[in-house]
Amino acid sequence: MSRLLAGVAAGAILCAWAGHAAAAELPGKFEGVTVDAKLIGGQQYEALYARIAEWERATGAKVNVLSKKNHFELDKEIKSDIATGNITWCVGSNHSSFAPQYPDVYTDLSALIPKEEIEGFVPTNIEASTLGGKLVMLPRAQFDVSALYYQKSLYADEAKKQAFKEKYGYELAPPDTWQQVADQAAFFSNPPDFYGTQFAGKEEAINGRFYEMLVAEGGEYLDADGKPAFNSEAGVRALDWFVNLYKAKAVPAGTTNYLWDDLGQGFASGTIAVNLDWPGWASFFNDPKSSKIAGNVGVKVQPAGSSGKHTGWSGHHGFSVTESCANKEAAASLIWFLTNEVSQKLEASAGPLPTRTAVWEWAINEAQNDAYKKEVLSAFQQAAQHAFPVPQTPSWIEISNAVYPELQAAILGDKTSKQALDDAAAKATQILEDAGEL
């Protein structure tokens, strides 16, 4: 267990959970109050929102969900609200990768949430949720780092094992390196009916995947001076990995338009061999009601690149309260309710990784008699040991929005990888200069 917790904190020493000293004061009473909210939507995030009705009954308040979108669309909506001075709502979904863009939008939760409750979270998650000395969001049970899901039966097929060894010269087994993933993806693919792998091909999703592959290839996204450095030999190797898979038709033709829900549904359809994905899909993939490969899912630590480093792009979701909120206490109560132990157990039971220390202990105990859950926890324990955040710049999302079309251009064959990365680096440099960061 101690190794698991250390892995989740990416090597940090964790404090013990501090208990419920202030729990009796929450959720409070807010008769007649309406809390307007803008929330992330998507299969792995939705189950939690059923608890909103419980909070309403307990407090006498109401929640008015103004919008529910994927985080890329939600980010655009929030930026539009900022530009028009229309931050009239109270609660917003947030993410450690997106939060640095909004330094003045969200209030300091440490003044609204009891200290004992804050101490119940994994310290590194709280640290990553604190910007400029302000605790800008409470983490939900959605700590994200990706591990590799695969169809077990493919690796038990004797004919496939023999054919693979004859072609590639090594044994067919769940891959340990990204080169092995590329080999196996090409080997397993039978388009248009079956593909070796897939990836999200637009928005921050492809930029994040490129970023972690760049790190695994020994490169860096921004150098020590904060300048774009991804148009390097390591960057070309990283981007070529995506380019070559697309060229080989080892990924679906529409992959450059895919986001996370597309990947989840794709792997669950049984038409994908191996799939790098988030912990929130673990239960979905192994549920016969939602997945054609239930009972046939293996999970292991994400592969390593040519440098020996593993991919490990990570972050976590949370909820924030706006500075302009008319009733911050009610809003803070709501986001506490959506991130408390009961809520985190609800989310973690489906596979997502919790951000409360006590819920980690609960999840470990719950998995003792479930072989699949134990496999999932073990895989993500190892995955978390390789976790690293996005480059520490408030311009990360703006840079992503400029870089991803260039990555797409290379994948689709419109530019060479080097040309695309040079053009992307020039755009990123301009963004950082305009922001005063260079």
Side-chain angles (χ1 to χ4, degrees):
M1 180 183 69
S2 61
R3 284 188 323 210
L4 173 58
L5 292 174
V8 172
I13 298 174
L14 301 181
C15 298
W17 187 67
H20 291 287
E25 301 171 17
L26 292 164
K29 289 291 184 182
F30 304 101
E31 294 288 346
V33 172
T34 296
V35 176
D36 290 336
K38 295 195 172 188
L39 305 176
I40 186 173
Q43 185 276 330
Q44 62 181 311
Y45 310 117
E46 291 289 341
L48 176 65
Y49 302 146
R51 293 209 74 211
I52 290 175
E54 295 180 49
W55 180 81
E56 290 176 326
R57 288 192 295 271
T59 64
K62 296 293 181 184
V63 177
N64 179 30
V65 178
L66 298 174
S67 58
K68 193 186 292 182
K69 302 176 178 179
N70 72 52
H71 225 136
F72 306 111
E73 294 303 316
L74 193 62
D75 175 61
K76 293 171 186 174
E77 184 173 311
I78 292 171
K79 286 175 179 172
S80 176
D81 289 346
I82 294 170
T84 59
N86 194 35
I87 306 291
T88 57
W89 40 275
C90 279
V91 167
S93 287
N94 210 340
H95 190 280
S96 55
S97 294
F98 288 77
Q101 301 176 105
Y102 319 125
D104 301 319
V105 172
Y106 296 120
T107 197
D108 185 358
L109 296 170
S110 63
L112 296 167
I113 303 293
K115 181 175 180 289
E116 293 83 358
E117 285 296 316
I118 295 171
E119 289 174 347
F121 291 88
V122 174
T124 50
N125 290 131
I126 290 297
E127 181 181 350
S129 301
T130 303
L131 303 174
K134 291 169 56 180
L135 178 61
V136 297
M137 66 173 169
L138 282 190
R140 66 189 286 182
Q142 292 282 350
F143 172 71
D144 280 341
V145 64
S146 295
L148 197 72
Y149 297 88
Y150 60 91
Q151 292 196 42
K152 289 182 175 180
S153 59
L154 295 173
Y155 297 91
D157 186 310
E158 292 300 328
K160 284 184 171 62
K161 289 163 72 172
Q162 182 177 346
F164 183 86
K165 188 169 184 180
E166 288 175 358
K167 183 171 184 178
Y168 292 97
Y170 63 92
E171 300 290 341
L172 178 62
D176 294 318
T177 70
W178 285 109
Q179 181 57 55
Q180 291 172 0
V181 172
D183 291 344
Q184 293 178 19
F187 175 76
F188 287 132
S189 288
N190 182 29
D193 301 316
F194 195 85
Y195 294 92
T197 191
Q198 57 183 350
F199 52 82
K202 65 179 183 178
E203 307 281 1
E204 186 215 16
I206 183 58
N207 190 43
R209 288 296 188 224
F210 164 73
Y211 162 57
E212 64 180 338
M213 192 68 74
L214 170 70
V215 172
E217 288 299 313
E220 56 183 357
Y221 201 93
L222 302 179
D223 66 17
D225 296 322
K227 297 178 181 178
F230 51 75
N231 54 332
S232 59
E233 291 183 7
V236 170
R237 289 196 303 272
L239 183 50
D240 277 348
W241 187 87
F242 299 93
V243 171
N244 292 337
L245 282 174
Y246 189 85
K247 190 181 298 183
K249 298 183 179 180
V251 296
T255 199
T256 50
N257 289 314
Y258 285 5
L259 287 174
W260 307 125
D261 275 12
D262 302 296
L263 300 187
Q265 296 292 343
F267 188 64
S269 75
T271 61
I272 305 293
V274 298
N275 180 50
L276 182 72
D277 222 326
W278 309 106
W281 290 102
S283 179
F284 186 86
F285 290 151
N286 209 44
D287 184 347
K289 295 178 182 177
S290 56
S291 175
K292 293 182 179 180
I293 53 173
N296 187 35
V297 182
V299 196
K300 67 173 296 180
V301 66
Q302 69 274 32
S306 64
S307 72
K309 295 179 181 178
H310 292 255
T311 51
W313 170 37
S314 70
H316 67 273
H317 291 260
F319 298 102
S320 299
V321 174
T322 61
E323 286 282 16
S324 58
C325 179
N327 196 319
K328 292 185 176 68
E329 291 76 13
S333 169
L334 173 62
I335 70 170
W336 164 80
F337 194 83
L338 294 175
T339 60
N340 67 13
E341 279 198 39
V342 175
S343 291
Q344 293 229 350
K345 286 177 181 178
L346 171 66
E347 293 208 276
S349 66
L353 305 183
T355 53
R356 280 182 174 269
T357 309
V359 182
W360 265 108
E361 298 169 0
W362 171 87
I364 294 165
N365 290 331
E366 286 289 298
Q368 291 306 308
N369 297 316
D370 186 319
Y372 178 70
K373 284 186 177 180
K374 286 181 72 173
E375 183 178 353
V376 168
L377 280 174
S378 175
F380 281 100
Q381 168 195 350
Q382 296 174 67
Q385 291 173 356
H386 304 289
F388 49 84
V390 300
Q392 296 304 290
T393 166
S395 300
W396 166 251
I397 296 298
E398 188 176 356
I399 289 172
S400 288
N401 291 339
V403 168
Y404 88 77
E406 299 296 337
L407 302 179
Q408 288 180 326
I411 292 167
L412 295 172
D414 297 331
K415 294 183 179 183
T416 67
S417 290
K418 185 65 167 78
Q419 180 185 2
L421 292 177
D422 283 344
D423 291 346
K427 291 179 179 179
T429 299
Q430 186 64 57
I431 289 168
L432 290 166
E433 287 178 347
D434 291 347
E437 295 185 63
L438 288 179

